[in-house]
Amino acid sequence: MSDERRRAPVTRGWPDAVRTPGTDGWEETAVRWMWGLLPAAWEQYDVFHHQPLLLARQADLHLRAEIAGLRHGWSTTRRDLADAGMDPRTVDRLLEVYTVEGQRLREADLQLQMVTDALVRGIRERMHRHA
């Protein structure tokens, strides 16, 4: 891959799988990366294959729902599973998983915001050039 196609990220935390905005094929790499944030069932809807910004929006909604689900799970796990007779060490292990997944999802959410902002900038630049 040439230096032009894969320069250093514009912003710290930029997803490794996404080329730098403005380089050849960057939007295609962004789209592939965003598909990885969604369950495979979403791929059946044609509109997301033609509008990267709609894909970004759906990925954002999905990540926020996952984060909300983890927060709910975190706040109710001890009580719910203790009532069910679950071993406290197993509950602790589950809470560790929630912690790791929460960090991963928050990082993905921040990365998605950067990618979305770059997509919007690209759309505005194209509109400005054609105006």
Side-chain angles (χ1 to χ4, degrees), residues 75-97:
S75 68
T76 60
T77 292
R78 283 203 190 279
R79 181 194 68 233
D80 291 351
L81 296 180
D83 290 348
M86 181 70 62
D87 173 39
R89 290 178 303 228
T90 302
V91 172
D92 288 342
R93 290 177 58 207
L94 176 60
L95 292 173
E96 288 172 14
V97 169

Side-chain angles (χ1 to χ4, degrees), residues 2 6 9 13 16 21 26 49-51 54 56 69 78 83 85 87 102 104 108 112 114 117 119 121 129:
S2 74
R6 182 68 178 149
D16 290 338
W26 94 266
H49 290 276
H50 301 289
Q51 298 292 332
L54 296 182
R78 283 203 190 279
D83 290 348
D87 173 39
R104 182 188 67 80
L112 180 59
M114 287 187 269
D117 291 347
L119 286 169
R121 279 193 307 274
R129 281 193 300 259

Side-chain angles (χ1 to χ4, degrees), residues 36-47:
L37 299 175
L38 288 168
W42 286 98
E43 291 186 49
Q44 69 182 310
Y45 302 107
D46 189 53
V47 68

Side-chain angles (χ1 to χ4, degrees), residues 1 8 41 44 53 72 115 117:
M1 185 178 311
Q44 69 182 310
L53 198 53
H72 177 74
V115 169
D117 291 347

Side-chain angles (χ1 to χ4, degrees), residues 57-74:
R57 182 178 188 278
Q58 192 58 44
D60 180 60
L61 292 170
H62 182 74
L63 284 174
R64 290 175 188 272
E66 282 193 278
I67 291 167
L70 279 177
R71 287 181 179 147
H72 177 74
W74 179 267

